[in-house]
Amino acid sequence: MPIAFVESLDFESRGVARAEGKVVFIEGALPGETVEYESLRVRPTYEQARAVRILRESGLRVVPRCPHFGVCGGCSFQHLDQTAQAAVKQRVMEDALQHIAKLRLEIIYPAMLGQAWAYRQRARLGVRKVPSRGGVLIGFHEKRSSYIADLSSCSVLPPHVSAMLPSLRVLVEGLSIADRVPQIEMAMGERGSGESLTVLVFRNLLPFSGADLKRLQAFGEATGVSVWQQPGQPESARPLMGDECDLFYSLPEFDVRLAFRPSDFTQVNVHTNRLLVRRAMQLLDPQAGERIGDLFCGLGNFTLPIARRGATVVGVEGSAAMVARATANAQTNGLNAVFYVADLFEMTGDSFVALGAFDKLLLDPPREGAIAVVKAIEPRHAPARIVYVSCNPATLARDAAVLVREKGYVLRGAGIANMFPHTSHVESVALFERP
C-alpha cells in the first residue's frame, strides 16, 4: 500500500500529498502526517484517496466525537482541533484571493469562533426507505455517495434533536407514505414569549392519511416539538395543529429580534452569526446621516443593526416574501429601513444608480457571489466603503478582483467566521475602501 507525506489541506479538507509526479488528495489525512493510503480515483495528473493508517500523527489530530464520523458526509473536520480548523479556513480564503484575484491581504482579521458542538439551529435531514438496509434511514448523505447515513445521534445537532433520531426513524417507518417523505427540515428559534421552540417540517410528496396525521401529532405532543408538513414549495409549509406562529432569533448587542418561518433562510449557527454581525458593523461603522445599502438583505440580519446605529438603510432582496418579512421585522423593532425587491443577479449600472447614492454598502450574496452588483457600480456613484460577507472564497476572490482592478477599491482586510465547525464550509468578511 502506498505511503505519502501530507503537505497541506485543500478546500474540501483533504490532505494534499505528492507521489510519482501527481497530486494526491487524501481523505482523513492532516498536514505533517505520514500515511498509508488507498486510491479511490486515478487521473493522469491527480489521484483521490483515503487514509488507511496514520504512520506519523499530527499534534493537531483529535479524537472525533461522533461515532458516524468518516461515514456521514455532514462533517469532514472532526479529527482536527477547532482552532486549527479556523486556521485552515483562513488559509483557504487567503489562497483564493491570491491565486484567483492576485491580491494579498493588508490585514487578516481574527477568526470568529462560536459554539463548536450542538450548534445547528437549522438542518435538512435526508429520509430514504431502503428495506435492504433495515428500513428507513434518516441523516445526512454519506461521503461520496447519494446514500443516507443512518444516524443514531449527531453531535452538531442540539442534544434533544440528536436524541430524537431513532424515534424519528420509527415514526417515519410507520407512515403510509414512508417512501414519499424525502426530507425533514429542523428549525430552532424562540417563541414570542422567549422560550425555545423546535419545528420539524416533514416534506410529503403525497398527502398524509388520517392515521399518519395522528401519529405525527402524537409525536409532537410527546417530544414538545411543533410538527409541520410541506406538500409543495417551501411557502406551502404549515403546522399540523394550531395556528402558524413565527420563530425568532435575537441580536442582543443591537437590541434586535427577527421573526422567521421555518422555511426561511437564516444562519444555522446563531452564536457565530452574532459575532459575524458584530464584525460587519465594526468594519462598516454606520453613522447617523449616512445612507447605506444592504444588498441580498434577506430578512434583515444586517439591515436592522445598521438602522439601529442611526444610518438610513435600504435593503434589497430578490425574494418578495423575504422583503415582506424584513419590512415587518423593521416595524416590529421600531427601526426605519426601506426594502425593495430586485433581481440582484441581473443588476446593471442604471438599476444600481436608480437605488440612489450610497455612502457605504454591505453585500451578503449566496454562493454565486455578487458579480453583477460589483460590475454595476459606477465610479461617480461608488460607495466609499464596501463590506462583503461571503460563503464562497472563490466567488469572493472573483468579485474582489473586479472591485480592485476595475472599480478602484483597495482590499483592506478579511477574515473568516467558523459558521459551520467540523465542515469545510468557509464563511468570511472582507473590507474594501476607495483610496
Side-chain angles (χ1 to χ4, degrees):
M1 192 164 288
I3 296 173
F5 174 76
V6 181
E7 301 171 1
S8 60
L9 286 178
D10 74 349
F11 68 95
E12 293 182 2
S13 72
R14 300 172 300 186
V16 180
R18 299 183 185 278
E20 299 180 355
K22 288 184 182 180
V23 177
V24 185
F25 300 100
I26 308 174
E27 293 179 3
L30 296 177
E33 292 186 334
T34 302
V35 303
E36 283 186 349
Y37 66 90
E38 67 174 357
S39 295
L40 301 174
R41 188 178 187 184
V42 178
R43 291 292 183 265
T45 58
Y46 71 92
E47 191 171 342
Q48 295 177 354
R50 71 176 183 88
V52 174
R53 190 157 65 101
I54 311 299
L55 303 178
R56 182 180 178 183
E57 188 173 285
S58 167
L60 299 175
R61 180 176 286 274
V62 296
V63 177
R65 180 178 295 197
C66 179
H68 304 288
F69 180 71
V71 175
C72 174
C75 291
S76 55
F77 265 157
Q78 284 195 21
H79 60 312
L80 181 63
D81 172 80
Q82 188 197 0
T83 303
Q85 291 180 30
V88 167
K89 294 180 182 187
Q90 185 78 36
R91 182 61 182 270
V92 167
M93 183 196 68
E94 291 179 60
D95 285 349
L97 287 167
Q98 182 176 344
H99 295 137
I100 297 173
K102 312 301 181 189
L103 295 172
R104 289 186 179 274
L105 291 171
E106 293 182 10
I107 300 172
I108 299 174
Y109 305 129
M112 291 166 273
L113 305 179
Q115 186 171 318
W117 299 102
Y119 67 84
R120 291 201 69 134
Q121 301 274 299
R122 301 190 64 86
R124 180 172 294 168
L125 299 170
V127 181
R128 188 165 298 173
K129 185 175 182 180
V130 187
S132 63
R133 299 184 67 188
V136 168
L137 308 179
I138 297 179
F140 302 108
H141 284 98
E142 294 181 355
K143 282 189 173 183
R144 306 181 307 276
S145 173
S146 61
Y147 286 116
I148 301 296
D150 187 20
L151 303 185
S152 58
S153 63
C154 178
S155 298
V156 298
L157 292 178
H160 71 286
V161 178
S162 173
M164 245 180 249
L165 292 173
S167 56
L168 268 176
R169 175 176 177 169
V170 173
L171 170 67
V172 176
E173 284 177 338
L175 298 176
S176 66
I177 59 166
D179 59 344
R180 305 298 287 168
V181 180
Q183 70 186 40
I184 301 171
E185 187 120 10
M186 182 275 293
M188 271 189 67
E190 301 170 358
R191 302 175 190 262
S193 60
E195 299 174 346
S196 178
L197 176 66
T198 301
V199 175
L200 296 179
V201 183
F202 289 75
R203 177 75 173 95
N204 54 306
L205 301 180
L206 292 175
F208 289 119
S209 69
D212 292 340
L213 294 174
K214 288 181 180 179
R215 288 178 64 89
L216 291 164
Q217 290 169 2
F219 181 86
E221 292 169 355
T223 58
V225 304
S226 178
V227 178
W228 292 40
Q229 62 177 318
Q230 182 191 322
Q233 296 299 315
E235 58 270 18
S236 71
R238 61 185 185 273
L240 294 185
M241 298 178 62
D243 296 329
E244 182 176 329
C245 62
D246 286 332
L247 294 171
F248 296 86
Y249 73 90
S250 60
L251 300 170
E253 185 173 345
F254 302 95
D255 189 25
V256 164
R257 199 160 181 250
L258 295 102
F260 65 97
R261 297 183 79 248
S263 55
D264 288 341
F265 171 81
T266 58
Q267 293 286 10
V268 303
N269 191 329
V270 67
H271 308 283
T272 304
N273 181 56
R274 290 170 179 169
L275 298 176
L276 180 61
V277 173
R278 174 193 294 171
R279 176 69 55 78
M281 293 305 104
Q282 290 170 342
L283 298 177
L284 193 65
D285 191 24
Q287 300 291 321
E290 292 180 334
R291 188 172 188 270
I292 298 177
D294 178 13
L295 307 193
F296 306 96
C297 67
L299 49 78
N301 188 54
F302 295 103
T303 328
L304 272 58
I306 294 171
R308 184 66 78 195
R309 288 290 187 255
T312 298
V313 59
V314 176
V316 184
E317 170 62 48
S319 164
M322 292 294 268
V323 164
R325 180 74 66 188
T327 301
N329 279 328
Q331 294 170 348
T332 301
N333 284 274
L335 294 170
N336 184 20
V338 178
F339 296 92
Y340 297 105
V341 178
D343 184 352
L344 294 168
F345 297 106
E346 298 294 332
M347 177 161 275
T348 64
D350 288 343
S351 58
F352 184 82
V353 170
L355 293 173
F358 294 125
D359 297 293
K360 297 171 181 174
L361 191 64
L362 188 141
L363 302 175
D364 183 20
R367 291 188 60 82
E368 295 88 341
I371 188 64
V373 173
V374 299
K375 285 186 173 181
I377 294 174
E378 297 282 347
R380 64 185 183 278
H381 296 285
R385 180 177 299 181
I386 297 176
V387 171
Y388 191 131
V389 178
S390 168
C391 59
N392 184 343
T395 53
L396 169 63
R398 177 202 65 195
D399 296 349
V402 174
L403 286 170
V404 172
R405 293 195 167 77
E406 298 179 23
K407 304 300 178 179
Y409 285 87
V410 175
L411 174 58
R412 296 300 188 195
I416 68 101
N418 200 10
M419 188 68 72
F420 291 78
H422 317 298
T423 76
S424 57
H425 178 94
V426 181
E427 191 92 9
S428 57
V429 59
L431 172 63
F432 298 86
E433 289 183 319
R434 290 186 65 82

